[in-house]
Amino acid sequence: MQHIEPLPERLVIVGGGYVGLEFAGMFSKFGSQVTVLDHGEVFLKHEDRDVADAVKSLLEESGVEIILGADVSGVSDQEDKNGAVVEMTVGDMARQIVADAVLVAVGRSPRTEGLGLDAADVKVDERGYVVVDERLRTSAEHIFAVGDVNGGPQFTYISLDDNRIVMDQLNGRGERSTADRVAVPHTTFLTPPLARVGVNEAEAHESGRNVLVAVKAVADIAAMPRPKIVGETHGLIKVFIDADTDLILGATVFSIDAQEVINLIALAMRHDVTASELRDSIWTHPSSTEALNEVLAA
């Protein structure tokens, strides 16, 4: 899709999830006029509202139009022209949008139908995903299922870890399992990237713990010069800390280099490195990691 020729002047993206937003950010930078049609009424509903609002503002600043509550009913070719007409309802109002191209980004489904899995006694769930245990064995003892098809988190690095688990069953000590996956980070590649690990703010408070929230806008972090150096100061950093143990419960990094900083925070979470240790550590300068010195002191 990113190599489409010619570049669409007007692009409609059906779906306001992480993948849809990545393409929206990408094509707006390429020069397309992008409209995102999100079926939901709440933008990025799994993120904290301040984070979601910051992402929405960034995209709109880039020229992306976001329409919430859009129920798309059909897409048809534009008569006598190279384009498409998107039919939708927003609230009680029927609307049409004409675009040069339409990208559908409304999720994924496993392509297991027709594989004859039942003949091998491999069970699938109601959505078509192969049912596996913590060691990725299917209902057929000698068959494993790795990658997106087993219904786990749909990230490339999870498929790599699936491979490690299976190899440990076949050639190792048989100890690794999906239960070992603690503090798995993920990144949405906007400009700048949005990365998260662990809980968000609502989940942190719902856990019943005594929670401290450290948050700061990237533009206001004096100890983090790298965003100013590269000319990208959008975003914010939030870290949720258990006040009784000083351990990190989760973090959201919406900033340049977020895809790298979140890996450090995830590693700290997996090995019980405290927030104070991260705050007082020595980091290279200038780097985005330096933000932890200041954000965790807030």
Side-chain angles (χ1 to χ4, degrees):
M1 176 66 188
Q2 55 263 52
H3 301 295
I4 187 172
E5 294 250 357
L7 179 73
E9 291 186 15
R10 301 162 298 174
L11 174 66
V12 169
I13 298 177
V14 181
Y18 298 108
V19 174
L21 295 184
E22 286 185 336
F23 276 100
M26 181 192 311
F27 274 92
S28 67
K29 296 294 184 183
F30 290 167
S32 298
Q33 173 58 54
V34 180
T35 301
V36 175
L37 306 181
D38 190 345
H39 180 72
E41 299 287 348
V42 179
F43 180 73
L44 284 180
K45 64 180 180 180
H46 297 299
E47 303 295 338
D48 297 333
R49 286 305 86 204
D50 54 349
V51 174
D53 290 345
V55 173
K56 190 169 185 285
S57 295
L58 171 75
L59 290 169
E60 290 175 339
E61 184 180 315
S62 300
V64 177
E65 181 184 11
I66 299 170
I67 301 177
L68 299 175
D71 186 7
V72 176
S73 57
V75 179
S76 59
D77 290 331
Q78 191 178 14
E79 292 185 12
D80 301 325
K81 294 182 180 180
N82 294 324
V85 179
V86 181
E87 306 276 354
M88 63 178 175
T89 303
V90 182
D92 296 327
M93 183 180 299
R95 290 185 58 180
Q96 286 186 343
I97 295 182
V98 176
D100 300 298
V102 178
L103 171 64
V104 179
V106 292
R108 308 172 190 174
S109 58
R111 302 187 65 177
T112 53
E113 188 176 353
L115 294 180
L117 297 179
D118 54 338
D121 196 29
V122 174
K123 295 180 180 179
V124 297
D125 65 16
E126 65 280 359
R127 298 178 299 163
Y129 288 102
V130 177
V131 177
V132 296
D133 63 16
E134 288 185 346
R135 288 177 170 78
L136 303 180
R137 289 187 185 273
T138 70
S139 50
E141 181 74 11
H142 62 294
I143 298 176
F144 295 84
V146 300
D148 295 353
V149 76
N150 64 30
Q154 295 183 338
F155 303 117
T156 304
Y157 44 92
I158 292 296
S159 296
L160 173 61
D161 196 56
D162 280 358
N163 172 71
R164 295 189 186 112
I165 291 171
V166 173
M167 289 301 295
D168 186 48
Q169 306 307 308
L170 299 178
N171 297 318
R173 301 175 64 178
E175 296 176 345
R176 297 198 60 158
S177 76
T178 56
D180 301 331
R181 291 173 180 163
V182 178
V184 176
H186 63 85
T187 300
T188 303
F189 284 93
L190 305 170
T191 304
L194 169 66
R196 185 151 73 86
V197 65
V199 299
N200 60 20
E201 187 166 0
E203 293 166 339
H205 290 299
E206 289 168 2
S207 70
R209 294 181 172 92
N210 183 15
V211 178
L212 297 176
V213 181
V215 57
K216 202 158 191 177
V218 168
D220 296 333
I221 304 175
M224 184 189 185
R226 178 160 164 73
K228 299 179 180 68
I229 292 170
V230 300
E232 178 50 82
T233 59
H234 290 93
L236 54 87
I237 297 176
K238 298 182 73 173
V239 184
F240 312 108
I241 304 160
D242 186 325
D244 298 322
T245 64
D246 199 28
L247 295 176
I248 296 172
L249 304 174
T252 299
V253 182
F254 179 32
S255 167
I256 190 75
D257 299 329
Q259 76 280 6
E260 304 293 350
V261 175
I262 205 68
N263 287 329
L264 175 65
I265 297 174
L267 183 64
M269 291 173 64
R270 286 194 289 271
H271 294 280
D272 292 340
V273 176
T274 65
S276 295
E277 288 178 281
L278 286 181
R279 179 197 65 205
D280 297 335
S281 291
I282 300 172
W283 311 115
T284 56
H285 173 84
S287 70
S288 294
T289 315
E290 290 180 289
L292 299 176
N293 294 139
E294 185 170 330
V295 172
L296 293 175

